[in-house]
Amino acid sequence: MALCREYDALLSKTAEGSDVWRINNSGGNPVPVSCETMEILKKAREISEASGGAFNIAVGAAAALWRFTDGSAALPDADELAGAVSMSDYTNIYLGENVAAAAPGIKIDLGGIAKGYIADRIADYLKGRGVDSALINLGGNIVTVGAKRGGAPWSIGLQTPGGRHGVDFWAVVSSADGAVVTSGIYERGFALNGEWYHHILDPRTGYPVQNGLETVTICTKSSLLADALATACFVLGAEKGMELALRYGVHAIFRKHGGALDITKGLEIGFLKENG
Ligand code: AMP
Ligand code: MG
């Protein structure tokens, strides 16, 4: 918990004085940042380039106009959203040796990648203290240290979209010393006029991605990579997302509305009866 608080104080866009807050509020001037923040910013840039901008940490201005968590179910003003989208070019983020800057108006939002980084660091912390069997769950972001006691791999349940939290699972994947990260439409969002608005945004429009996908799950060693790729692949959609997953050599599960699946070859997955 102390590690989580420490990283939140570095990476949060709302915590005044965090590295991200200082970049976002320095009027375009370079600010010194920690090497942890720099590592995440560099990985984010790599995944932005690899995904043709589908993954984009400069969506912060647009993301800030959506209210997914306060129960208000209201759309942002269309002109304001268009203005925010014009302030979301990730190539306007500059990374130096230990300094970073963003052009005025650009708001960095690490919501699509930070949890993955933090889960990796918690795993390192545990391993460094001799723990050889653990499961870390940061909510949609799972990292396993070793296998279960007795040697069998951990079984990670994939939540049924719209099902009961922590109760309804539609599938199980195995994990030992790895990450299983899911991006989906069901964790944060609201319904309005028969549409479901959720928190993964198309950076070109500022609106939630509507491409027929319900969830994307990525399985690989690094949870930093898995988190960024899960969001990137979700935005890209099933076809281009699968190409990106294959390029990175990670396992991926794309689940579409209605339950149709695209799964990388060789991933063992156990299917459960859906009750959600
Ligand atoms: P995740 O749950 O990892 O898929 O990340 C979703 C979060 O990432 C959102 O709550 C936003 O903070 C941020 N986000 C939204 N859209 C994007 C995008 N296209 N690229 C990168 N981050 C995004
Ligand atoms: Mg993510």
Side-chain angles (χ1 to χ4, degrees):
M1 294 310 291
L3 273 179
C4 287
R5 277 193 293 273
E6 221 172 90
Y7 285 119
D8 190 57
L10 269 189
L11 305 172
S12 160
K13 62 179 172 173
T14 49
E16 210 173 310
S18 78
D19 280 357
V20 170
W21 186 91
R22 286 184 301 109
I23 300 169
N24 287 346
N25 292 284
S26 73
N29 294 308
V31 300
V33 297
S34 64
C35 51
E36 290 92 338
T37 304
M38 188 55 79
E39 185 183 345
I40 300 169
L41 291 171
K42 283 189 174 153
K43 181 57 79 177
R45 182 167 62 185
E46 175 199 318
I47 303 298
S48 295
E49 283 165 1
S51 66
F55 184 82
N56 182 348
I57 57 167
V59 292
L65 296 175
W66 289 93
R67 290 153 66 186
F68 295 118
T69 45
D70 67 2
S72 59
L75 296 182
D77 176 80
D79 290 337
E80 267 187 85
L81 194 58
V85 166
S86 73
M87 292 290 166
S88 63
D89 182 349
Y90 72 87
T91 64
N92 285 333
I93 299 171
Y94 305 96
L95 305 181
E97 190 72 23
N98 350 346
V99 296
I106 300 273
K107 301 292 180 205
I108 293 175
D109 176 341
L110 298 181
I113 188 168
K115 265 205 284 185
Y117 177 84
I118 296 167
D120 280 337
R121 294 293 75 78
I122 294 172
D124 289 347
Y125 173 89
L126 292 173
K127 286 185 218 162
R129 275 151 189 79
V131 173
D132 56 11
S133 173
L135 184 142
I136 299 149
N137 179 1
L138 297 189
N141 210 304
I142 305 269
V143 173
T144 56
V145 174
K148 288 196 283 195
R149 282 195 177 168
W154 297 94
S155 298
I156 311 300
L158 305 185
Q159 177 96 36
T160 305
R164 287 167 298 171
H165 203 272
V167 178
D168 297 328
F169 301 100
W170 66 273
V172 173
V173 294
S174 295
S175 176
D177 275 321
V180 179
V181 179
T182 299
S183 277
I185 63 169
Y186 55 93
E187 283 296 336
R188 259 189 282 166
F190 59 81
L192 183 68
N193 303 327
E195 286 274 344
W196 178 251
Y197 294 90
H198 61 86
H199 69 138
I200 305 174
L201 303 180
D202 182 336
R204 293 167 304 184
T205 64
Y207 283 91
V209 173
Q210 306 285 6
N211 59 13
L213 285 177
E214 246 175 3
T215 63
V216 175
T217 300
I218 301 288
C219 308
T220 188
K221 282 276 171 215
S222 154
S223 121
L224 170 65
L225 178 64
D227 190 1
L229 282 180
T231 308
C233 289
F234 190 98
V235 178
L236 282 174
E239 205 169 306
K240 285 189 174 156
M242 184 58 96
E243 284 171 25
L244 182 65
L246 292 175
R247 228 185 303 149
Y248 270 89
V250 301
H251 276 303
I253 304 167
F254 293 79
R255 181 186 156 120
K256 300 168 195 171
H257 291 287
L261 300 171
D262 287 332
I263 304 173
T264 48
K265 284 198 181 64
L267 178 65
E268 279 191 40
I269 167 165
F271 293 100
L272 305 173
K273 191 172 168 293
E274 291 206 16
N275 49 4

